[in-house]
């Protein structure tokens, strides 16, 4: 977990911003989730019903139908959102 000093904050356009893990943070805007990098650039658009932190290069996301899958840091769906539930990707599993 990395902390950012107060001087690094700018006006935020998100309803919520999570901690940075593996260089990206989960953000929420208008009830949808996506990811930003440390420069504040939205690298994965806010289009998911739910999203979780990156571990081992992958993040668990939930689509608008409530199905879970995994994306990489570029936002590409690596494992399709077709599961009712999914845990974090850890240790290659």
């Amino acid at each position: 977990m990395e902390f950012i000093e107060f001087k690094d904050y700018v006006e935020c356009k998100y309803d919520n911003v999570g901690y940075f893990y593996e260089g990206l943070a989960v953000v929420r805007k208008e009830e949808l989730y996506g990811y930003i990098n440390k420069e504040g650039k939205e690298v994965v658009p806010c289009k998911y019903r739910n999203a979780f932190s990156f571990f081992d290069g992958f993040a668990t996301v939930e689509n608008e139908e409530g199905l879970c899958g995994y994306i990489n840091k570029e936002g590409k769906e690596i494992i399709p959102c077709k599961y009712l539930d999914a845990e974090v990707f850890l240790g290659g599993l």
Side-chain angles (χ1 to χ4, degrees):
M1 180 168 48
E2 183 177 326
F3 294 98
I4 299 174
E5 294 183 30
F6 181 76
K7 68 177 180 62
D8 295 327
Y9 282 93
V10 293
E11 185 177 342
C12 190
K13 62 182 179 180
Y14 301 102
D15 301 323
N16 190 28
V17 178
Y19 294 110
F20 285 93
Y21 288 91
E22 297 191 8
L24 298 176
V26 176
V27 293
R28 186 183 81 222
K29 178 171 48 176
E30 299 173 8
E31 302 303 317
L32 295 175
Y33 293 82
Y35 297 86
I36 61 170
N37 63 19
K38 290 183 180 180
E39 288 76 42
K41 180 181 179 211
E42 193 170 286
V43 294
V44 178
C46 293
K47 64 179 185 176
Y48 295 103
R49 183 195 287 188
N50 208 347
F52 300 89
S53 298
F54 276 86
F55 291 97
D56 284 356
F58 301 100
T60 309
V61 293
E62 181 182 329
N63 69 14
E64 57 192 32
E65 290 86 29
L67 298 175
C68 298
Y70 296 89
I71 63 170
N72 66 13
K73 291 183 180 181
E74 289 76 42
K76 182 179 179 193
E77 204 171 278
I78 301 301
I79 298 175
C81 291
K82 63 180 184 178
Y83 301 98
L84 295 176
D85 193 18
E87 297 294 326
V88 296
F89 209 88
L90 194 60
L93 303 172

